[in-house]
């Protein structure tokens, strides 16, 4: 290809024409960028042919020259997406008789196929960041990637700004050193910060030689609210009360994806739908903890049009083209406009056809959030934080990986690392500290032989010490730190049984033989544990326990929070709300106040011998959890005797033995000074964060030859090391990485700081005689476990009615 080429080769034009397609301008723009020797970032709506745009340069080049070599590398955040893209590429390759071989390489690829791919690479290899890292950290990587010409990065918004994205950025910098002529094509439908994404994609980490290509807008989506008949819940986030109404929508459509936000919710919703599914419509379940074989069967059935609905988590969020899907239902609030748009794109996956979706709010506050999300989609107001600086524990893993691939000089590696956008401004001191840590553990740990992994020769080259270190490294590569899991096997003696998937070890520790639990859409009876497997049998009696997963809840985006506050303040928009919600807000306005867009409403009132403080912050559960810890410390210091707190995505509630006073002083910005430091030092939060950092940085191996370490073993070891480092080496690189992680991931300091700055001097305090209508949902969360029906639900409804009576809400407001 060259700069003068402005049209497709004849066979490609013929193929497009045979399908009744025309080449879209953004597809030609990507082709032109690559022909001009530029990288390209394509941002285009779902259904606009992004994937084909990404592969067209490769298909055209390989049609002309298909000599044996790895020509194109495609990287996806999801294994299922790589598999789907491989399937979709087979059509143009077969129909144009192109001499091109494509293959996937993920964690699900058998070992014999992986070995063959190393010896005889396909023309196009579709993989994930983790599998790419394993290839790059091999001694033969330089030869393997020498002829690489194109790198296609799909759904890059899902990677940039995460630790997986940091790892991938470092791998891209390495690929640039091995194949400097290889061009990058980034693909996404939802990029909130295009300039930052250009930097992330570019070979210099600063946007150089990279063209931004914007696709034409597609048909506007049709999004509605589905409010289940009957009582509208005050709290909870499962949406199970709407199962029958959702099933009615499934009946009326050809094929539906029912998206939920957590794997536990997926299991519960799947069971709830089947309770109402008297005509046995084919409905399946899909989430990341299910066995890969079961997931593949569901995906194949979707592709073949054999299903009427699939209940899914984010495992089906990205990019996959299920042509038969004509409806998306989102159960519970989507938590972000960008996430909702990704899920919308799974319906009618075509640029010129309207995507249809229904949002099912699980409680009254979620009605507001869903309405805000619909408004945000209409305004194309994408959300998401810009990519942050690269994590140092990921860099440590990369340094060891580079040594496993062969010796390196620190000066050369530093230059290479700084070409990755997350590390473009990395101080040399931090880099040297990371290398020193990988070399011998750092000052406090250097006396221990097990932490000595690298050595330097007389020329200053850094080498890995021995083959065992290489073996352990390859067994523990990756940045996703999951809780230890056990396989779930249905029946089977020592000969096996059917593997249904995996659940976390801590959940299994709460089961006793005979307990009933819900998994893989089945009601199972816990039999026992054999080695690393949970043995289960079909059936079981009583209320089932539901596996939950660490990190399962999604945070409310800043954009949606801003929109919800604005909606509360703008009463003209209330006409679109259901009657119970509108009447609820009207009562709140009459009995207290409504939160304003830039103010902070704080209510205090007595109840049951305690004083309650309710702050309507709308900053997300994660930020509210940290804020609750800080506020209770201040209340303690002020003598108000705090007894506890509860946080939701919208509200923080605190209860005290004495009436809180001086409310404005409670929310002063200096809270993020000494209060924050002392809390973080005393809490277990930093230890939890350190465990993850230690695993990613290779301080503690999750997996050894012969089996995984237990969660308890990892916790004990990392806790001991954490205490040693805090005492003897407080500036250790892993402690610095831990503090950065905690501030970003566990505390969400940026959101707390932004809120405190926004509301400074703008706090509205309402001292009430009783609970307000808007405070009812948060009070129902106090001490509440998941409610799944029966006596627990009756008790919750009774508590709700008691609270409503206190709040002065009469029965005409649809108690529930």
């Amino acid at each position: 290809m060259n700069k003068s080429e402005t049209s497709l080769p004849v066979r490609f034009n013929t193929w497009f024409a045979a399908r009744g397609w025309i080449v879209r301008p953004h597809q030609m723009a990507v082709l032109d960028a690559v022909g001009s020797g530029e990288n390209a970032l394509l941002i285009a709506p779902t259904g606009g042919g992004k994937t084909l745009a990404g592969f067209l340069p490769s298909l055209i080049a390989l049609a002309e020259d298909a000599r044996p070599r790895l020509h194109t590398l495609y990287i996806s955040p999801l294994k299922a997406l790589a598999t789907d893209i491989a399937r979709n590429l087979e059509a143009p390759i077969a129909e144009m008789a192109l001499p091109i071989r494509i293959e996937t390489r993920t964690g699900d690829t058998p070992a014999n196929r992986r070995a063959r791919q190393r010896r005889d690479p396909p023309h196009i290899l579709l993989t994930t960041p983790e599998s790419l890292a394993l290839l790059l950290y091999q001694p033969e990587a330089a030869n393997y990637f020498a002829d690489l010409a194109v790198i296609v990065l799909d759904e890059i918004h899902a990677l940039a700004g995460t630790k997986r994205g940091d790892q991938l950025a470092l791998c891209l910098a390495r690929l640039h050193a091995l194949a400097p002529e290889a061009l990058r094509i980034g693909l996404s439908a939802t990029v909130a910060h295009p300039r930052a994404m250009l930097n992330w994609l570019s070979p210099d980490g600063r946007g150089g030689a990279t063209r931004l290509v914007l696709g034409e807008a597609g048909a506007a989506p049709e999004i509605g609210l589905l409010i289940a008949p009957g009582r509208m819940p005050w709290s909870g986030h499962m949406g199970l009360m709407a199962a029958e109404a959702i099933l009615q929508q499934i009946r009326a459509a050809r094929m539906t994806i029912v998206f939920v936000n957590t794997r536990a919710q997926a299991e519960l919703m799947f069971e709830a739908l089947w309770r109402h599914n008297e005509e046995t419509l084919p409905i399946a379940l899909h989430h990341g903890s299910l066995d890969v074989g079961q997931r593949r069967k569901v995906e194949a059935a979707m592709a073949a049009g054999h299903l009427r609905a699939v209940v899914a988590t984010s495992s089906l969020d990205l990019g996959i083209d299920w042509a038969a899907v004509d409806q998306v239902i989102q159960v519970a609030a989507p938590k972000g406009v960008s996430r909702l748009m990704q899920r919308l794109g799974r319906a009618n996956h075509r640029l010129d056809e309207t995507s249809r979706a229904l949002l099912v709010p699980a409680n009254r506050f979620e009605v507001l959030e869903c309405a805000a999300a619909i408004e945000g989609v209409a305004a194309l107001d994408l959300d998401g934080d810009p990519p942050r600086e690269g994590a140092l524990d990921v860099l440590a893993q990369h340094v060891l990986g580079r040594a496993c691939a062969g010796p390196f000089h620190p000066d050369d590696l530093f230059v290479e690392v700084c070409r990755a956008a997350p590390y473009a401004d990395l101080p040399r001191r931090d880099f040297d500290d990371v290398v020193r840590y990988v070399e011998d553990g750092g000052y406090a740990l250097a006396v221990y032989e097990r932490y000595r992994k690298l050595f330097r020769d007389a020329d200053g080259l850094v080498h890995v010490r021995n083959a065992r270190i290489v073996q352990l490294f390859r067994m523990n590569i990756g940045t996703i730190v999951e809780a230890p899991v056990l396989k779930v096997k249905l029946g089977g003696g020592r000969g096996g049984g059917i593997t249904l998937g995996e659940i976390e070890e801590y959940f299994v520790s709460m089961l006793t033989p005979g307990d009933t639990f819900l998994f893989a859409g089945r009601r199972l009876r816990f039999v026992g544990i054999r080695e690393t497997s949970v043995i289960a049998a079909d059936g079981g009696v009583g209320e089932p326990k539901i596996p939950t997963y660490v990190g399962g809840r999604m945070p409310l985006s800043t954009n949606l929070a801003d929109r919800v506050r604005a909606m509360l303040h703008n009463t003209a928009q209330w006409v679109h709300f259901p009657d119970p919600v509108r009447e609820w807000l009207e009562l709140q306005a009459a009995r207290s106040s409504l939160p304003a867009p830039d103010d902070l409403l704080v209510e205090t009132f007595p109840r049951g011998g305690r004083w309650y403080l309710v702050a309507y912050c709308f900053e997300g559960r994660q930020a509210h959890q940290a804020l609750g810890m800080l506020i209770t410390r201040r209340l303690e210091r002020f003598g108000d005797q705090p007894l506890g707190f509860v946080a939701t995505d919208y509200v923080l509630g605190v209860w005290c033995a004495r009436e809180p006073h001086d409310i404005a002083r409670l929310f002063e910005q200096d809270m993020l000074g000494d209060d924050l430091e002392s809390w973080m030092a005393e809490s277990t939060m930093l230890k939890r964060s350190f465990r993850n950092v230690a695993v990613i940085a290779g301080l503690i191996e999750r997996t050894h030859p012969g089996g995984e370490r237990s969660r308890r073993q990892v916790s004990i070891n990392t806790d001991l090391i954490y205490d040693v480092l805090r005492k003897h080496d407080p500036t250790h690189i892993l402690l610095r990485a831990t503090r950065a992680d905690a501030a970003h991931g566990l505390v969400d300091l940026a959101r707390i700081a932004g809120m405190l700055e926004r509301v400074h001097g703008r706090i509205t305090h309402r001292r009430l005689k009783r609970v307000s209508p808007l405070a009812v949902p948060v009070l129902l969360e106090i001490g509440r476990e998941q409610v799944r029906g029966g006596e627990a639900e009756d008790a919750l409804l009774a508590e709700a009615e008691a609270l409503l009576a206190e709040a002065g809400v009469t029965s005409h407001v649809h108690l529930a």
Side-chain angles (χ1 to χ4, degrees), residues 396 432-455 465 690 697-699 721 724-725 729 731-735:
D432 289 338
D433 287 349
V434 168
V435 174
R436 166 73 196 277
Y437 154 72
V438 181
E439 192 171 0
D440 62 15
Y443 165 73
L445 302 176
V447 294
Y448 301 101
E449 180 67 28
R450 61 162 300 180
Y451 300 119
R452 299 178 189 171
K453 297 179 179 179
L454 307 177
F455 71 92
R465 280 189 176 270
F690 181 78
L699 185 72
I721 296 170
V724 168
L725 293 181
D729 195 359
T731 62
H732 192 279
I733 196 72
L734 295 192
L735 292 184

Side-chain angles (χ1 to χ4, degrees), residues 761-782:
R762 302 176 64 93
I763 293 178
T764 301
H765 176 211
R766 292 285 180 262
R767 185 180 184 277
L768 308 176
K769 295 180 179 179
R770 57 188 177 183
V771 59
S772 73
L774 213 59
V776 169
V778 75
L779 262 65
L780 286 172
E781 293 284 343
I782 295 173

Side-chain angles (χ1 to χ4, degrees), residues 79 150 248 271 289 292 297 308 312 318 331 385 404 410 448 453 475 626 630 782 799:
K79 291 183 284 188
V150 178
Q248 290 177 6
E271 185 190 47
S289 291
V292 63
K297 287 179 183 177
R308 294 293 298 278
L318 302 176
V331 183
D385 297 326
C404 291
Y448 301 101
K453 297 179 179 179
M475 293 177 70
L630 295 171
I782 295 173
E799 173 72 0

